[in-house]
Amino acid sequence: MSETPSTSFSMVRRISSEGQLPSPRQLGITQPVVAKRISFYKSGDPQFGGVRVVLNPRSFKTFDALLDNLSGKVPLPFGVRNISTPRGRHSITRLEELEDGQSYLCSHGRKVQPVDLDKARRRPRPWLSSRALSTHVQRGPAPAAPGMLRAPRRLVVFRNGDPKTRRAIVLNRRVTQSFEVFLQYLTQVMQRPVTKLYATDGRKVPSLQAVILSSGAVVAAGREPFKPGNYDIQKYLLPARLPGISRRVYPKGNARSESRKSGNWKVSIITSDLPNAGTSSQIYIILYGQHRSSAAIYLYGTDGARFQDGHEDTFTITVGDIGMLFKIRVGHTNSGLSPSWHCKEIKLWDLNAGRQFHIPVQRWLARDQEDGEVCREFPVFNKGWPILPVTVYEVHVATGELWNAGTVANVYIAVYGEKGDTGSRQLFRSKSTLNFLRGQVDSFLLEAVHLGNLYKIVIAHDGLGPGNGWFLDDVVIKDPTTNREYTFFCHRWLDQGEDDGKIVRELYARNNSILSARQKLEVIRKETWAAESWKFRKGNTLQFYNRLTGGFVRLHPDSTVDAVGEKTDKYGLFDVIFNKGNVCIFQSHELRHLSLALDNGFVTGMASGGASTEMRVLSQPNRCALLESARVPGHLVIFDRHGKITNESSAGYADLSKEFVVFVKGVLLNSAVVLLGTSLCQALCLQPDGSCTGVGKPSEKSYWRVHKISSRICMFESVKNARMFLRIKDGRCDGAGIGDSDCHFKIKKNLRNACISLESVKSPGLFVGLRSDGKAKPVVYTENGSVFFYPQVIKFGRENPSGMSVTPSQEEEKILESRNQQEMPSEPEARGAPSPSTALIGDSVVKTPPANAGDAGDTSSTPELGRSLEEEMTTHCSILAWRVSWTEDPGQTTVHRFAKSWTLLSTHT
């Protein structure tokens, strides 16, 4: 017998003294298991202290098991999906690639941001740990209690005895599960142990309910007692001290530093004796002088309640050299159980100069009284100085037209003029039921001592509430004293997730309304051209629709032009044969020797290439276009209401039309990649959770591939997420379709603005629409624009080959068949022998056409054969020196060519 080498492993077993084999457990002990000790860090976060993992065959059997384990330890939005080397250059895909003692970065995507590992390796203190608070605190719903937090709100936390150290936090359900959880959260935020809380006036805050009902600021302390200080919350609680606010009243004034000269003042405030006139809020006062203004000075004490009915409270304050006093601002934080306050009068004594001022107030500072303001300004009378009037400014705030442009956050504004500023004021009471909705203009009244000529505003929101981002178009302020209007143009997002991420904007005034309107128009025109310029690429075929005449522009063989053509008129098609910026030449698609031209102010047909044929396209805010002569600026293509060529001097302005809706031929061809625009800079986008929104950016994430089912019926597949189709099903509109009949949409075109609407074939009457926040939903067709989508071609498709009529059922079968082929077993015995209706080509099983498939004219019963199948047949039919090619020969249909290939293949078989 010959010996053959063994392919199995041999093992020498040790026998015990009793002649028995050791047990498997004993053998496992004697066999060492190699373990790797590896550190994992968070991509782009040097504050994350890292996770140490011991890796051996028993702990993690697969690489995916390691990823799942790290997802629970490394805080990433979508879990750990990628592991790479520290510099992010190489991705790790197998357990064997991980080396003992090394460090690696974890991320949720392919993009990795390197971190300083030396800094990350320094173990952070407990309050700096990035680990979620829930890992230290037992989860569970907190018992409901009066004053429990129902909506997020901001809170300023001061360090005990050090008012300069403060943190602004957001109270939400996660950090307010219990008072102990909240103290642990403050320990992390303040970077020191926090065991007790005090109000800014020294009263102890004993519970979570007391925190929620507080004035909006607390003092965090350890075991030490409360230390008094100037805990100024006006600067940090609200956007009251918005970025960019200056304390100078007069830009050209000679202000002196407070450290060089200080002023001592005595302030006496009398609360009215009306019922419930006292307040639980904290009162503050600001003094405005000739040189500058003071900071917000809070008037509080520890010797009992202040500002109660009929009481007079007196304080001594110290401010810098503000110069001659001309106004004051007094207000409160609107906090506590009874925040409303009615002030009777205020008395001021300048202890340095010996001057005394008396200010009669007699006003409510309350949300539920008078105009709802909790802050008021009063002029101060100085002998020999003119007294400034109290003015009620009209503030008109326009929210943009973009989807999800509105906000539910609290909006604040500070107005600046030659004579001071208004301070931060909340805009909360307008004529509208709901404020700051998409496309809405809200009007507010703002009372202040007259500011003189206005020059800027600072506007912001507090970032609280769901969907708090805001697209601000502009702000118009009317001064009734001088009857002047000031326009502050913005047209930008105040959103932490959009634009530059800022929620505060500093805007400067344009007191010329004409210049402001012109600036706004130019910005919108640039945005429109950016969205519409793709139509004028070289090689596109266009149609120009005129709204006034209701017809299309035509160029006849005799060089005459009109605007009364039908959509199918062959003389109404024009090819873009030249494009440079927004200058184009439009050549007749039917008459290649003629192009549109402007000659002496009238449109006609002329030989291509002349200077008269060069047209400048001027985009309009309504997505229409003007066609202007590039040689003679100001000469436009104009038609009268009868569709005849004319110029502006020939008829009345109302009877002329120079705007055209531009259509591109072949937008929704099969396999085309398109962008479904919802506004000038937004598009329909598929979200990671399968939902659809109309606020996506014009990027690859918003691309859709067109699957043409039949005439005017299409499906839309996400390019970024293959096999996810737009659909309407069970009262929802999302992108979780699988290519069935729920994903079929009938295309409804709108001639008025070159948009389309998508109507469900399975649920007639329901269209893909958008809510005001941009979320997609099924809606009934309306003219409000929620069902309008503006297609933009990223990649043109192709017409279905002649002789291949595709029905919805066949398209579904095609998609399901392609999926089944990918899931088909590779073993020959799993496939079995080909049936009479199938043929074996190489390693693939494909359907054979019926017997009458050889008749090119009979396509009713012929199944669709895709382009990929034809390419595969080309490869396997090469042994017969027969190559199936894709031609555009209209005399021979694709089905006929396939029939020839099948005949030869079966003959060979």
Side-chain angles (χ1 to χ4, degrees), residues 2 46 49 55 179-180 224 241 281 346 499 589 690:
S2 62
L55 190 67
F179 192 53
E180 291 73 20
E224 72 277 7
R241 285 290 186 182
S281 295
I346 299 175
D499 205 339
H589 185 75

Side-chain angles (χ1 to χ4, degrees), residues 30 112 143 161 219 221 246 278 315 406 432 462 465 632 636 649 712 791 804 806 835 845 861 869:
T30 60
V112 179
V219 178
S246 171
F315 309 86
S432 306
D462 57 11
V632 185
L636 301 172
S649 61
R712 300 180 64 186
M804 295 178 62
V806 183
S835 64
V845 176
S861 61
L869 176 59

Side-chain angles (χ1 to χ4, degrees), residues 638-641 646-656:
I638 304 176
F639 294 93
D640 62 17
R641 64 174 52 255
T646 184
N647 56 29
E648 294 184 353
S649 61
S650 302
Y653 188 81
D655 295 327
L656 301 180

Side-chain angles (χ1 to χ4, degrees), residues 77 107 148 324 438 521 534 539 609 752 780 826 860 893 899:
S107 63
M148 201 63 186
M324 184 67 69
R438 170 179 174 262
L521 180 61
W534 71 272
R752 300 291 298 177
V780 179
S826 59
S860 59
T893 66

Side-chain angles (χ1 to χ4, degrees), residues 579-698:
N579 172 269
K580 186 176 181 180
N582 64 340
V583 176
C584 304
I585 295 180
F586 304 109
Q587 183 186 76
S588 172
H589 185 75
E590 184 70 18
L591 309 169
R592 300 288 184 176
H593 63 287
L594 292 179
S595 296
L596 284 180
L598 271 169
D599 186 28
N600 295 325
F602 291 90
V603 63
T604 184
M606 298 182 66
S608 303
S612 299
T613 61
E614 294 184 1
M615 302 273 190
R616 179 174 286 107
V617 181
L618 304 178
S619 295
Q620 302 301 297
N622 59 0
R623 289 183 179 263
C624 289
L626 306 181
L627 301 181
E628 180 188 51
S629 172
R631 185 181 65 171
V632 185
H635 285 193
L636 301 172
V637 176
I638 304 176
F639 294 93
D640 62 17
R641 64 174 52 255
H642 304 293
K644 297 180 179 180
I645 58 174
T646 184
N647 56 29
E648 294 184 353
S649 61
S650 302
Y653 188 81
D655 295 327
L656 301 180
S657 177
K658 34 186 154 174
E659 293 185 341
F660 302 95
V661 182
V662 183
F663 291 87
V664 181
K665 297 293 291 183
V667 171
L668 297 179
L669 295 180
N670 195 48
S671 299
V673 177
V674 299
L675 192 80
L676 298 177
T678 56
S679 69
L680 292 178
C681 53
Q682 293 173 312
L684 187 67
C685 177
L686 177 63
Q687 300 290 86
D689 60 356
S691 63
C692 287
T693 177
V695 300
K697 296 180 180 179

